[in-house]
Each structure stands twice: as structure tokens, then as C-alpha cells.
Amino acid sequence: MALSISRRIVRSFGSLSALGFREYPTVAGRSFQASDLSDQIAGDNLLHAECFSFSKGGPSFLGFRRFSTTILTPDSNGGAFPSDLLSSKTVLTPERTIGLYEDLVVPVTNFHNEDHGLMVLAGDVFDVPIRKDIIHRVVRWQLAKRQQGTHSTKTISEVSGTGRKPWQQKGLGRARHGSLRGPQFRGGATMHGPKPRSHAFKLNKKVRRLGLKIALSARAAEGKLLVFEDLEVSTHKTKNIVNYVNQMENTKKLLLVDGGPINEKLKLATQNLHYVNVLPSIGLNVYSILQHDALVMSRDAVNRIVERMHTPINR
């Protein structure tokens, strides 16, 4: 087996005579006449050497090629790979390219880490290109829309006080005034102050929808998107949710998203935990996703989100 592999390696380099090299016969064994590249060969180690010379407008040089194939068995003690054949570089698996609109296949589990098969996530919802500018616009729109805008100051007609002229117009050498409720007096009115209003501004539905897709894609790319069969819990005890969160790595805040109304047991189990929040699928938003490290969605919630993202926008 090792001999056939070594011969295929030698044949893969092609003929050296076609490149202008003078080939020497391949020598297989425990020693070489051309050079003492290897004096001892351990166990099942089969070593091949290929000697060739070449010249390019000058003196000829002598070169050697060495091919080694080692067969390791449980019974072989000294059959370790030669150090020159081992790579010191760390082998990394190629990472998935984000934003190619490819469907993702994720495992489905539950709070008890039971296997419930696989689920396909739509690529046009969970694998869109990441755009920070869209996220910034959507978050600003959300924060501005939820601002109460109840700030209010009193004008000169609203300030409590007399309307009498404080002193006569002329003759005292003092500045002329007509009311003590003016903004220049202590306890007087506020000029151009804030009044109750709405801070909301318009943002296109396409941009809002794209922002939610980007947030979901970011969590899926980070591996922080988990899909559960359902969010049913056997008891309303808080310690069960605490134990589950403690098992998750690098997770400080957890967002649970269910398809329909929230289960009463789950609501009671999480209401005392400030780092665990529960939302229905209709309330899922960009700002809540960014505030939590991990996102757990039920299968029903994923289906409803995908259906909502695929619904045409009414104009």
C-alpha cells in the first residue's frame, strides 16, 4: 500500500526530462548512493529519493527530492512521523461567507437539550448582508418613537403671579417692566421651552423590515440563534431557567421569542430575572435583539417571522 502511494506521488510530478532536467533512477531502500539523506528507516517507513541536476546558463546544480510514507499501527512503537513532514501551522476550517442569501440548516432542541430534528431557515431572512447603517437608522427610529415627549414648560401666560406693573414707567431710573412674570425674573416664564410633542419620524417599511432581517442574520452568523421545538416548561420555578442560562457560554442576557401568547409558566419563571426577557413573535424588534447576547426562538415563532417578512408591503 505504502509503495503504491509513493509511486503515485512520484508520478504526479511528471517527467523531469521534459523540463530540461537530467533524471537519475529512483532508489528505494535503506540507504542511497547519491547522498546520505537517511541512514535508518524505522518499522514500515518506505522512503523514496529522486536525484536530478539542472543548469540554466551557468553551473549545474544537484538536487534531491524526498518522499516518505509512514504507516502507523497500534503495535508500532517508533513509527512517528518525521518532524520535517509535520506542519506547525494551525489548521482552520473555512468560515461560512455571510450575506449570500443561502438557506441555513439548524438543529432543533428544547430546554432539556433533547433532539427534535432539523429546521431550514430562509436565506432571504436569516442570511442577508450585514449593514450597520440600516441598523443605526432603525434603532434611532425605535428610540424616537417610544419617547414619551411629556416635557413641558410654562409660558408667561401660564406662570402664577400678578399682572400688575411693578413700578412706574419713568422717573425712577430703573429699567421699564410691565410684569414680574417675564423670563428675566426669578420664578418667571421660560421662553421657547419644550412642549409635549411626539418625537417620532417616518421610516420606510422596507428599511424597517430590512433592519430586522439584518439583526436576525447577525445572530445566526454568530451562532447565537437557537431554535426550540417549543418554549414549554414543566414548572414555573425560576431555578430551571437559571440553570439553563448558566449552561450557555458567553451569554449574559437571553431573549425568548414564542409564536403566540406567552405561556403562563414561562412568564412566571422569567419575571424575576432581569437578564431573561420573553416576547411574542409580533413584538420582535431590532433593539431588543441587540440588547441580548443570545436569541432563542420557537419553531412557530420562526415560521411566523418568515411569513411576515414574505408578506407584500401595502402601499
Tab-separated table of all heavy atoms in Angstrom, residues 125 128 130 135 210-220 285-287 289-290 295:
chain	number	residue	atom	x	y	z
A	125	VAL	N	-34.066	35.801	4.868
A	125	VAL	CA	-34.402	36.385	6.162
A	125	VAL	C	-33.250	36.250	7.151
A	125	VAL	O	-32.947	37.186	7.892
A	125	VAL	CB	-35.678	35.731	6.748
A	125	VAL	CG1	-35.996	36.298	8.138
A	125	VAL	CG2	-36.857	35.943	5.812
A	128	VAL	N	-28.767	37.635	5.209
A	128	VAL	CA	-28.680	38.835	4.375
A	128	VAL	C	-27.390	39.575	4.724
A	128	VAL	O	-26.839	39.397	5.808
A	128	VAL	CB	-29.910	39.752	4.571
A	128	VAL	CG1	-31.181	39.005	4.245
A	128	VAL	CG2	-29.956	40.269	6.000
A	130	ILE	N	-24.800	42.165	6.160
A	130	ILE	CA	-24.835	42.993	7.366
A	130	ILE	C	-24.561	44.451	6.987
A	130	ILE	O	-23.542	44.755	6.367
A	130	ILE	CB	-23.800	42.510	8.394
A	130	ILE	CG1	-23.996	41.016	8.683
A	130	ILE	CG2	-23.902	43.323	9.668
A	130	ILE	CD1	-25.355	40.672	9.229
A	135	ILE	N	-29.086	49.305	10.557
A	135	ILE	CA	-29.339	49.048	11.973
A	135	ILE	C	-29.400	50.366	12.750
A	135	ILE	O	-30.265	50.570	13.617
A	135	ILE	CB	-28.254	48.125	12.548
A	135	ILE	CG1	-28.320	46.744	11.898
A	135	ILE	CG2	-28.395	48.006	14.061
A	135	ILE	CD1	-29.567	45.963	12.241
A	210	LEU	N	-35.894	45.420	6.574
A	210	LEU	CA	-34.507	45.023	6.319
A	210	LEU	C	-33.689	45.046	7.607
A	210	LEU	O	-32.805	44.211	7.800
A	210	LEU	CB	-33.892	45.958	5.273
A	210	LEU	CG	-32.431	45.697	4.893
A	210	LEU	CD1	-32.266	44.285	4.341
A	210	LEU	CD2	-31.948	46.720	3.876
A	211	GLY	N	-33.960	46.005	8.480
A	211	GLY	CA	-33.231	46.051	9.744
A	211	GLY	C	-33.468	44.809	10.585
A	211	GLY	O	-32.525	44.281	11.204
A	212	LEU	N	-34.693	44.306	10.626
A	212	LEU	CA	-34.980	43.088	11.376
A	212	LEU	C	-34.291	41.879	10.750
A	212	LEU	O	-33.769	41.012	11.455
A	212	LEU	CB	-36.493	42.870	11.444
A	212	LEU	CG	-36.974	41.672	12.275
A	212	LEU	CD1	-36.460	41.760	13.705
A	212	LEU	CD2	-38.496	41.591	12.258
A	213	LYS	N	-34.248	41.817	9.434
A	213	LYS	CA	-33.540	40.723	8.768
A	213	LYS	C	-32.051	40.756	9.081
A	213	LYS	O	-31.428	39.716	9.323
A	213	LYS	CB	-33.758	40.807	7.254
A	213	LYS	CG	-35.171	40.543	6.797
A	213	LYS	CD	-35.270	40.667	5.272
A	213	LYS	CE	-36.678	40.397	4.786
A	213	LYS	NZ	-36.776	40.516	3.303
A	214	ILE	N	-31.464	41.949	9.092
A	214	ILE	CA	-30.031	42.070	9.378
A	214	ILE	C	-29.730	41.646	10.814
A	214	ILE	O	-28.731	40.960	11.080
A	214	ILE	CB	-29.563	43.517	9.116
A	214	ILE	CG1	-29.662	43.839	7.625
A	214	ILE	CG2	-28.144	43.728	9.610
A	214	ILE	CD1	-29.365	45.280	7.292
A	215	ALA	N	-30.576	42.039	11.754
A	215	ALA	CA	-30.363	41.651	13.148
A	215	ALA	C	-30.452	40.138	13.322
A	215	ALA	O	-29.634	39.529	14.029
A	215	ALA	CB	-31.376	42.358	14.041
A	216	LEU	N	-31.420	39.499	12.673
A	216	LEU	CA	-31.538	38.044	12.746
A	216	LEU	C	-30.348	37.365	12.070
A	216	LEU	O	-29.828	36.353	12.567
A	216	LEU	CB	-32.844	37.593	12.096
A	216	LEU	CG	-34.141	38.014	12.810
A	216	LEU	CD1	-35.352	37.640	11.969
A	216	LEU	CD2	-34.236	37.371	14.189
A	217	SER	N	-29.891	37.915	10.950
A	217	SER	CA	-28.743	37.332	10.252
A	217	SER	C	-27.478	37.447	11.080
A	217	SER	O	-26.627	36.542	11.079
A	217	SER	CB	-28.558	38.017	8.895
A	217	SER	OG	-29.709	37.861	8.081
A	218	ALA	N	-27.318	38.556	11.797
A	218	ALA	CA	-26.132	38.739	12.634
A	218	ALA	C	-26.097	37.717	13.764
A	218	ALA	O	-25.045	37.131	14.059
A	218	ALA	CB	-26.105	40.156	13.190
A	219	ARG	N	-27.243	37.485	14.406
A	219	ARG	CA	-27.275	36.479	15.468
A	219	ARG	C	-27.055	35.074	14.914
A	219	ARG	O	-26.390	34.243	15.554
A	219	ARG	CB	-28.611	36.550	16.198
A	219	ARG	CG	-28.734	37.756	17.118
A	219	ARG	CD	-27.779	37.636	18.292
A	219	ARG	NE	-27.807	38.819	19.131
A	219	ARG	CZ	-26.924	39.800	19.068
A	219	ARG	NH1	-25.937	39.728	18.186
A	219	ARG	NH2	-26.999	40.831	19.872
A	220	ALA	N	-27.574	34.791	13.739
A	220	ALA	CA	-27.352	33.471	13.141
A	220	ALA	C	-25.889	33.280	12.761
A	220	ALA	O	-25.336	32.187	12.935
A	220	ALA	CB	-28.251	33.298	11.920
A	285	ASN	N	-38.220	42.899	17.700
A	285	ASN	CA	-37.723	44.129	17.099
A	285	ASN	C	-36.207	44.157	17.144
A	285	ASN	O	-35.563	43.349	17.831
A	285	ASN	CB	-38.307	45.346	17.821
A	285	ASN	CG	-37.974	45.350	19.290
A	285	ASN	OD1	-36.940	45.860	19.701
A	285	ASN	ND2	-38.844	44.761	20.115
A	286	VAL	N	-35.636	45.094	16.417
A	286	VAL	CA	-34.180	45.175	16.272
A	286	VAL	C	-33.521	45.542	17.595
A	286	VAL	O	-32.515	44.951	17.993
A	286	VAL	CB	-33.818	46.186	15.169
A	286	VAL	CG1	-32.309	46.371	15.089
A	286	VAL	CG2	-34.368	45.736	13.828
A	287	TYR	N	-34.059	46.513	18.294
A	287	TYR	CA	-33.426	46.997	19.522
A	287	TYR	C	-33.381	45.909	20.585
A	287	TYR	O	-32.379	45.763	21.299
A	287	TYR	CB	-34.174	48.222	20.030
A	287	TYR	CG	-33.471	48.936	21.164
A	287	TYR	CD1	-32.252	49.564	20.961
A	287	TYR	CD2	-34.033	48.988	22.435
A	287	TYR	CE1	-31.599	50.228	21.986
A	287	TYR	CE2	-33.396	49.645	23.476
A	287	TYR	CZ	-32.180	50.259	23.249
A	287	TYR	OH	-31.536	50.910	24.268
A	289	ILE	N	-33.268	42.667	20.048
A	289	ILE	CA	-32.285	41.664	19.630
A	289	ILE	C	-30.871	42.130	19.958
A	289	ILE	O	-30.024	41.356	20.440
A	289	ILE	CB	-32.431	41.371	18.130
A	289	ILE	CG1	-33.784	40.716	17.848
A	289	ILE	CG2	-31.305	40.479	17.629
A	289	ILE	CD1	-34.061	40.469	16.384
A	290	LEU	N	-30.580	43.408	19.731
A	290	LEU	CA	-29.239	43.924	20.000
A	290	LEU	C	-28.939	44.003	21.495
A	290	LEU	O	-27.776	43.951	21.889
A	290	LEU	CB	-29.077	45.312	19.372
A	290	LEU	CG	-29.208	45.384	17.847
A	290	LEU	CD1	-28.990	46.810	17.370
A	290	LEU	CD2	-28.223	44.452	17.167
A	295	LEU	N	-30.401	34.648	21.282
A	295	LEU	CA	-31.794	34.697	20.857
A	295	LEU	C	-32.301	33.273	20.710
A	295	LEU	O	-31.729	32.486	19.958
A	295	LEU	CB	-31.922	35.452	19.529
A	295	LEU	CG	-33.306	35.522	18.888
A	295	LEU	CD1	-34.277	36.264	19.788
A	295	LEU	CD2	-33.228	36.193	17.522
